[in-house]
Amino acid sequence: GSVWSSQLVRSICICIVFLSVLASSGELLTLFLSKGCSASCYELLPNHLPLLSPASPSVRIIHLGHACNVEEERYTERVYTIREGETLELTCLVTGHPRPQIRWTKTAGSASDRFQDSSVFNETLRISQIQRHQGGRYYCKAENGLGSPAIKSIRVDVYYLDDPIITVHQSIGEAKEQFYYERTVFLRCAANSNPPVRYSWRRGREFLSQGSDKGVEIYEPFFTQGETKILKLKNLRPQDYANYTCIASVRNVCGIPDKSVLFRLTNRTASPTIKLLVEDPIVANPGQTVTLVCITSGGEPTPTLTWVRNAEGLPKNSVLKGGTLTLRSITVEDSGVFSCVASNNVGNPAKKSTNIIVRALKKGRFWITPDPYHNDDNIQIGREVKISCQVEAMPPEELQFSWLKNGRPLRSSERMVITQTDPDVAPGTTNLDIIDLKFTDFGTYTCMASLKNGGIQEISIDVNISSTTVPPNLTVPRGKSPLVTQEGDTVDLQCLVSGKPKPIILWSRADKEAPMPDGSMQTESYDGVLRFVNVSREMSGSYRCQTSQYNGFNVKPREAIIELIVQYPPVVEPVYTEIRQALGRAFSLTCSVLRAHPSRVLKYEWKLGTRLLTVGQFDTRDETEYHVRALNREGFGEYTCDITNEAGAGRCTFLVTGKAYPPEFYYDTYTALWQNKPRVYGFKLQWTQMNPNAVDRIMAYRLGIKQTGQQRWWEQDITMDGVIQKGELITYNLTELIKPESYQVRLTPITRLGEGDSAERIIRYSAPVNPHWSKFHCSFDDEAICMFTQEKTDNFDWTRHSAATRDTKYTPNTGPSSDFAGSKQGFYMYIETSRPRVEGDKAQLLSPSFNVAPKNPYGTVTANPTYCFSFYYHMYGKHIGMLNIYLRQKGQTGPDSSIWTLKGNQGDRWKQAKVNIHPTSSFQIVLEGVRGPGIEGDIAIDNVDIEEGECQNPPPNSNLMSSALPVSKHIWPLCLTMLLVLFSCRR
């Protein structure tokens, strides 16, 4: 008897094992045969379950927003269609341990878009009021440092339809003023859309089609296939003068309605003509107000007028009213070509322009040119000398010059020749040629520049001609090249300029074609000094200073070279790193030099805090090491290595600590949440420890928990027995959590040296179905209605009510007189079908989200699990519509799956319905009530249950639509086979 009973227990145990790990039965059978008949039930269980190996990430994209359609294209591309202005909401579902980091990025679709120059680091990507340029491919990338990142993408196609526009054209070469008889007219209709638009034409109330009228031809231009539709009216007839309507349609995709535009064609229809009531050009002084007037002189329909400036927008100080543009307090920057454009969608727009010029004088310069016929750069008595003066003026034709000598007017003569223009130089130049220079010609010459019509202050430039007027010369002061400085300093590059007058000095890079630190290729200096503030190592190199012809002699430029050497301290690595060690262990610290200038005479110095450990000097190596043979408590702290040269020091910092690494929460726990009491729930908290062997043994974890939004933490210690292994999955059950509150959880590992780094996560409530709690029940007696929610996209809502408070004044002969148990105080949910409800209106009630229970201890779903969904319904009244039940699964791309439906009057009594469901992922139940033809059509539901397993004893006419899992019929033969094997072993 004892042998038989123990054998029976073993047989039952083995069957339980096989039932629970059906997916891996082959592996288990091999294990069983290798163990033989003496193996115990516990020996047959996999011994690696307590350890959780790190898992690389996996990712899946689901949509939560207002999708018109989600479909698979060419088996490789998911296309998410959405209407412009709706909300795009995509969620990236990830698995993996440690918890992967999620990043959303985008590539451009129909229009270039950089995703607002950023990425979204969140599980959910949400774009409110999406616009057409935001369409394109969106990528979800998940990575946790293990293997390759997981990447999934979805293409977002934004649908839209703009208002169509009709433009009218006459055949080329024919009359342009009016549309006479025997003229051919083209009506072109175009609208921006996605998907491509379809057009139809109507004349008055008559729809036009190809062939319906010999005088009408409808076609699409080859080069704009599908984008436009042209209506050709051949040899205009009296009946062709009518109202034409173009209707643009995208066939109601995404609920986008058709749009239309009307154009009235008459014998007065004509393209626009305009007149400008202004001069061209307009010359104004700064600060004045300029008014531009444009009027229409023809066109039917009446043209609309607008003003534009070049390719830019109108000035900020402009005021546009109809065809009148007013520019107040005009400035030089407001200059430009202003155009008036008239359009009425007939023919080509009319355009006329005027140029506005704002008077200005700027950039006065001079230069002295010695006698060009002698190879001498000096000014000498008896030779020629020319003084040139240049000014930028607007308008250039108003520029006028005059010359003074020692403050007195100077007129042109045989020996003093004044010319207003020089063909060899830029416009706006005047020259004074002094022929046969005499001693009496020495003095100060002044060039005066002004505009003929005034309004602008004149510019004066003084040039001194004397025996001391000599060409320039450039030298570099002693000790200023090469110039050695250190990074971060302020340095002056200096060239000494001799000569009179002193010219402008131009600075540039001499060693390479590169811009100066200010970004320009050349930098001007009036005193020969170029200052660099906060000099950097990239500024090292050769710089050229040279004379300019401006404000000096027009001779061959003088130049000099200055070498700048920027020293900088050593660049080292690592700049900062943290090292975690257990007591008694040996370790080494290494500090490396990447670059330095000067690179010679490098010294190093190791310290722990302020205590000097060792010093030395580099030889041929570029790194230094410090060794700790056995770490003690005094060895914890901050180690620094300073490597120095003439410019300063670079520092490596190592923080050596015994703090434990943070725990890593396990987010893929199956059925982590359970509930067995009405108002509270529990949560299975699971985690692994990051690098547990790096430090001393973790003795406990400090658990902190608080409700989200609250300030106070509740803490307790969780004691750990033994040594935690890498990958070991640790579990702690949290209980008495209040529904439906969310909680913030904090875990801190503790060693003999104190607390380590903490990790935090959020726990959110949802109603699960799992082995700890195998049945969900809701009678709607609680105001929270068991976390049921109203669908936001339906026509109206379900109402919670009881018969004791039910108002039957307007709806007699319908609705229940009690809840399903016969109590008038009990509550139920019903749809109120009184006005303003109309036939066909729908109300949807959504259950909480339920997790799917796996069928083996590895946490994976091997076959579709079965659940029984049951409820009571009351459908009484002559106007009863329909009650529908749908299954909505997480990640489902199509419509909800219908699992039960019933319509019409079922009598004044409660009835029960049961239906089997086989979800493959987290799911919700959708209860939909549809309003019938009248007000006597209230539908009620009560006592909703969901439990694991098939429905037992379904009531008659319960509309049971599902059957048991087909895999179940294979389990019992497998168990019988195992019993036979055991009995053979026993014999």
Side-chain angles (χ1 to χ4, degrees), residues 651-946:
R651 169 172 289 188
C652 294
T653 300
F654 305 87
L655 179 61
V656 178
T657 175
K659 290 176 59 177
Y661 285 98
E664 296 176 315
F665 286 109
Y666 185 56
Y667 286 82
D668 300 330
T669 304
Y670 159 67
T671 59
L673 187 147
W674 77 91
Q675 54 186 4
N676 51 14
K677 295 181 181 179
R679 300 185 182 275
V680 298
Y681 67 98
F683 190 86
K684 182 194 296 183
L685 189 68
Q686 291 188 306
W687 70 92
T688 60
Q689 177 60 42
M690 181 190 297
N691 300 333
N693 300 322
V695 296
D696 287 342
R697 185 179 75 84
I698 296 173
M699 300 183 296
Y701 285 93
R702 181 151 296 140
L703 171 67
I705 185 169
K706 70 172 184 176
Q707 286 188 16
T708 54
Q710 301 295 324
Q711 299 296 323
R712 184 176 180 182
W713 287 87
W714 297 90
E715 291 187 339
Q716 70 177 89
D717 287 352
I718 305 171
T719 303
M720 293 287 107
D721 296 327
V723 178
I724 298 175
Q725 301 298 319
K726 184 174 184 180
E728 180 178 347
L729 190 59
I730 306 169
T731 301
Y732 186 81
N733 292 330
L734 303 174
T735 58
E736 303 299 319
L737 304 179
I738 301 173
K739 300 179 187 176
E741 300 295 335
S742 298
Y743 289 84
Q744 187 172 354
V745 176
R746 180 176 64 204
L747 267 182
T748 307
I750 301 174
T751 66
R752 58 176 171 168
L753 297 175
E755 293 186 352
D757 290 339
S758 300
E760 294 185 4
R761 68 164 293 180
I762 300 295
I763 295 174
R764 293 182 173 86
Y765 174 77
S766 65
V769 174
N770 56 45
H772 301 282
W773 176 80
S774 61
K775 184 175 181 180
F776 170 84
H777 172 78
C778 185
S779 60
F780 302 110
D781 290 330
D782 190 353
E783 288 188 7
I785 61 173
C786 312
M787 305 302 292
F788 276 81
T789 56
Q790 307 281 356
E791 175 62 75
K792 297 180 180 180
T793 60
D794 56 5
N795 304 115
F796 67 112
D797 289 341
W798 288 78
T799 304
R800 176 178 174 269
H801 232 307
S802 69
T805 57
R806 178 108 164 100
D807 185 1
T808 59
K809 180 178 180 181
Y810 298 106
T811 54
N813 304 318
T814 187
S817 57
S818 65
D819 68 0
F820 87 101
S823 171
K824 292 187 179 296
Q825 306 301 321
F827 284 84
Y828 52 84
M829 301 296 291
Y830 86 105
I831 61 169
E832 173 59 67
T833 56
S834 301
R835 293 180 179 85
R837 303 275 67 85
V838 296
E839 184 175 3
D841 280 1
K842 297 177 180 179
Q844 289 188 335
L845 189 66
L846 308 182
S847 76
S849 294
F850 298 99
N851 296 327
V852 174
K855 293 301 180 185
N856 65 53
Y858 295 94
T860 58
V861 179
T862 60
N864 294 357
T866 302
Y867 299 97
C868 179
F869 170 68
S870 64
F871 64 99
Y872 282 83
Y873 62 89
H874 189 284
M875 301 172 67
Y876 169 56
K878 63 181 180 180
H879 299 140
I880 289 293
M882 184 180 300
L883 178 60
N884 299 315
I885 309 298
Y886 298 99
L887 177 65
R888 176 179 296 178
Q889 300 191 65
K890 192 171 186 179
Q892 184 173 327
T893 58
D896 298 335
S897 302
S898 175
I899 59 174
W900 189 93
T901 184
L902 188 64
K903 63 180 178 179
N905 187 359
Q906 304 298 317
D908 188 10
R909 60 187 178 276
W910 286 95
K911 295 183 179 182
Q912 189 182 28
K914 292 185 177 182
V915 58
N916 289 326
I917 57 175
H918 309 296
T920 59
S921 62
S922 299
F923 65 93
Q924 289 177 285
I925 300 296
V926 182
L927 299 100
E928 179 184 76
V930 183
R931 203 259 196 189
I935 63 174
E936 296 181 21
D938 295 351
I939 298 174
I941 58 171
D942 199 2
N943 212 50
V944 176
D945 290 305
I946 303 176

Side-chain angles (χ1 to χ4, degrees), residues 228 504 774:
T228 62
I504 297 174
S774 61

Side-chain angles (χ1 to χ4, degrees), residues 369-380 383 471 553 555:
T369 306
D371 192 339
Y373 300 105
H374 295 82
N375 189 19
D376 193 344
D377 291 341
N378 293 294
I379 297 176
Q380 296 185 16
R383 293 184 181 178
F553 273 72
V555 294

